[in-house]
Amino acid sequence: MAAARVMAAAAATNATTSCFLLRRTFALNQRPHFRGFCFSGTRQLSLSSSKRSLFTCTALHKPEFQIKEEGQPETLDYRVFFRDNSGKKVSPWHDIPLHLGDGVFNFVVEIPKETSAKMEVATDEQFTPIKQDTKKGKLRYYPYNINWNYGLLPQTWEDPSFANHEVEGAFGDNDPVDVVEIGERRGNIGEILKVKPLAALAMIDEGELDWKIVAISLDDPRASLVNDVDDVEKHFPGTLTAIRDWFRDYKIPDGKPANKFGLGNKAANKDYALKVITETNESWAKLVKRSIPAGDLSLL
């Protein structure tokens, strides 16, 4: 009999909405200026403006989410579903807010640090639960543990029809944007953490662009010390190189070539990471409004 276990996955309590961020062109050493449209699971949002910021997104409710495991871990039928307070199934990709304001974002943990099971949101299944990835009918594992919490930014999408000319013309990988969270605490599958982006790595995996946003949980003891890429080098020495090398080499034991990285093989700064988040949030908004063909992707 399938085992089911319910655990709380708290979303942010001080903000409950996500912004579709529209960008203006900016240099890499400048802070981007945003204006936004708001999205949430129920779309019950208000939009306000002020002289200091073009728009501020304010939700009329404060949702929390629960996760329910169905099936046994490390089996083909294992799924982690998300539910709102009413018990209704929701999508961790489409219904959890992205943007919390002040440069803070929601991050959904798919793979806890120091584990190797390759867990991911099932983008082609209704309500996009988290499952273990498979290849030729067999469960997938990394050849060694991942050393950081790994997961996705909700309400983002790397458009496979868009060629990024800043990164060798590579097309998006058709997935939400990945996050590598460098805090000290091991997260749990389906846990929602509030994070701030610090850097971005432009991984190219078999010709597809697969962004890795380096971020830190606001709950981490050292979170206040790091606000940009240089702070990561100072307070987490060697971490950016370790992340790049881990993702470069993890397919080699399976006989595949190493992954490549664009942008000079280096981590871009926080402003560039925010630019990536903005652009992929725009792409997601077009996807859910069906301005772009969804193919096999689930929009529920």
Side-chain angles (χ1 to χ4, degrees):
M1 182 177 179
R5 181 159 58 96
V6 177
M7 297 179 292
T13 57
N14 64 338
T16 58
T17 181
S18 177
C19 293
F20 167 31
L21 302 175
L22 301 179
R23 62 187 174 86
R24 299 176 183 173
T25 303
F26 64 96
L28 295 187
N29 62 350
Q30 293 178 316
R31 293 199 173 275
H33 300 280
F34 298 121
R35 59 180 179 174
F37 293 103
C38 298
F39 293 87
S40 77
T42 61
R43 291 2 183 223
Q44 293 178 340
L45 306 175
S46 65
L47 194 64
S48 62
S49 62
S50 69
K51 293 182 179 179
R52 292 190 178 184
S53 59
L54 290 175
F55 290 97
T56 300
C57 295
T58 305
L60 302 182
H61 68 297
K62 296 184 177 182
E64 291 182 350
F65 301 92
Q66 292 182 329
I67 61 171
K68 182 179 180 181
E69 295 178 290
E70 297 186 4
Q72 295 288 346
E74 299 187 76
T75 64
L76 293 174
D77 62 348
Y78 179 67
R79 297 290 186 276
V80 179
F81 284 95
F82 288 67
R83 297 177 184 269
D84 63 17
N85 282 337
S86 70
K88 177 184 175 183
K89 282 184 178 179
V90 296
S91 165
W93 180 18
H94 301 307
D95 295 319
I96 292 175
L98 168 65
H99 192 268
L100 299 174
D102 297 325
V104 178
F105 299 84
N106 274 325
F107 156 60
V108 180
V109 179
E110 294 170 304
I111 306 175
K113 67 188 296 185
E114 306 307 335
T115 64
S116 63
K118 193 175 187 302
M119 310 300 296
E120 64 179 20
V121 162
T123 57
D124 60 348
E125 295 184 14
Q126 192 172 20
F127 300 113
T128 64
I130 296 175
K131 69 172 185 177
Q132 188 166 351
D133 191 24
T134 60
K135 184 176 182 180
K136 297 181 179 179
K138 294 183 178 181
L139 297 171
R140 290 188 66 188
Y141 294 85
Y142 290 122
Y144 31 72
N145 286 351
I146 190 167
N147 306 126
W148 311 273
N149 292 315
Y150 187 57
L152 74 139
L153 286 176
Q155 299 182 342
T156 62
W157 179 57
E158 298 194 51
D159 184 352
S161 69
F162 173 70
N164 191 313
H165 297 293
E166 296 180 4
V167 189
E168 303 181 18
F171 291 86
D173 71 350
N174 202 32
D175 281 325
V177 171
D178 296 327
V179 172
V180 183
E181 194 276 316
I182 63 174
E184 65 180 30
R185 186 179 72 82
R186 173 179 166 176
N188 299 307
I189 295 175
E191 185 173 5
I192 303 169
L193 300 178
K194 293 182 291 186
V195 300
K196 56 180 178 180
L198 304 169
L201 287 161
M203 190 176 91
I204 303 172
D205 182 355
E206 299 182 12
E208 294 181 336
L209 181 56
D210 187 2
W211 287 106
K212 309 299 178 190
I213 301 297
V214 180
I216 190 166
S217 171
L218 296 190
D219 294 333
D220 190 81
R222 290 186 282 179
S224 63
L225 301 176
V226 285
N227 294 293
D228 212 326
V229 63
D230 292 338
D231 299 326
V232 179
E233 292 289 2
K234 179 178 179 180
H235 297 284
F236 293 81
T239 295
L240 292 172
T241 298
I243 292 171
R244 183 198 62 199
D245 292 354
W246 195 98
F247 284 100
R248 182 191 65 198
D249 298 339
Y250 79 90
K251 290 187 175 181
I252 293 176
D254 292 331
K256 293 186 175 182
N259 290 319
K260 300 192 302 179
F261 285 84
L263 303 180
N265 208 38
K266 297 179 179 179
N269 64 15
K270 176 180 180 177
D271 283 345
Y272 200 96
L274 292 175
K275 173 177 176 283
V276 170
I277 294 170
T278 298
E279 291 175 343
T280 55
N281 180 232
E282 286 181 353
S283 295
W284 169 83
K286 293 175 183 177
L287 176 70
V288 296
K289 289 190 291 185
R290 293 172 171 78
S291 300
I292 298 175
D296 293 333
L297 298 175
S298 172
L299 302 183
L300 296 178

